[in-house]
Amino acid sequence: MTKLPLHSPHAPAAIGPYSQAIRAGDTVYLSGQIGLDPATMNLVEGLEAQAHQVFRNLRAVAQAAGGSLDDLVKISVLMVDLGGFGKVNDIMKEYFVEPYPARATYQVAALPRGALIEVEGIVVLKPVAPIPGESQTGPLEAFDQTKGQ
């Protein structure tokens, strides 16, 4: 399977040897986003501002993949202090609708650049419909029982 790296100019550039996202088939793996403003590459101040920026960054990368936050099926939230867990839940409700993605939340000792929150996710895109009149090839081709193939 081919791995297709994805990039959005509306999300922060990678700050290490990784891609903003990788598409493999209809699944897109979004790298962790911290609250970096993509225009300045500076971390915004405070947990609430960082959480909003994280979800805006994730939305930009999901859109670059042809999806949206509604297509996220799983997210992982990393926080340096779970005392802000309730605030993050409230902020998530501004970006997601039910059914919410599956989620795991972890308290960690530190995050890159002193961030207070990082979120990564998995998007499953709707399969692309075939173009009318074009034959299917490969594993989607019809099985011919008369030929035993």
Side-chain angles (χ1 to χ4, degrees):
M1 175 162 293
T2 303
K3 294 188 322 184
L4 176 66
L6 300 170
H7 173 79
S8 170
H10 304 292
I15 57 175
Y18 62 90
S19 300
Q20 286 178 336
I22 292 287
R23 181 173 180 167
D26 293 330
T27 304
V28 180
Y29 301 89
L30 305 177
S31 291
Q33 289 287 331
I34 59 175
L36 290 176
D37 178 334
T40 65
M41 289 299 290
N42 291 323
L43 196 62
V44 297
E45 292 293 325
L47 176 61
E48 291 182 46
Q50 287 185 27
H52 281 288
Q53 189 64 56
V54 162
F55 291 119
R56 286 192 296 266
N57 293 344
L58 288 171
R59 179 174 51 208
V61 179
Q63 288 173 339
S68 71
L69 290 181
D70 291 339
D71 298 312
L72 272 158
V73 297
K74 169 73 167 66
I75 62 172
S76 296
V77 178
L78 296 85
M79 300 176 64
V80 295
D81 182 1
L82 285 178
F85 186 73
K87 286 182 186 178
V88 172
N89 278 340
D90 291 340
I91 291 167
M92 277 189 62
K93 290 176 186 174
E94 296 180 37
Y95 293 90
F96 295 93
V97 296
E98 292 187 46
Y100 299 120
R103 178 180 79 179
T105 304
Y106 307 93
Q107 182 168 314
V108 296
L111 290 168
R113 298 211 178 164
L116 301 174
I117 183 171
E118 180 174 357
V119 180
E120 66 174 4
I122 300 171
V123 169
V124 176
L125 300 173
K126 294 161 188 65
V128 177
I131 298 171
E134 286 194 10
S135 65
Q136 296 288 317
T137 60
L140 298 177
E141 189 171 319
F143 177 77
D144 186 343
Q145 293 179 1
T146 62
K147 295 182 181 178
Q149 297 177 352

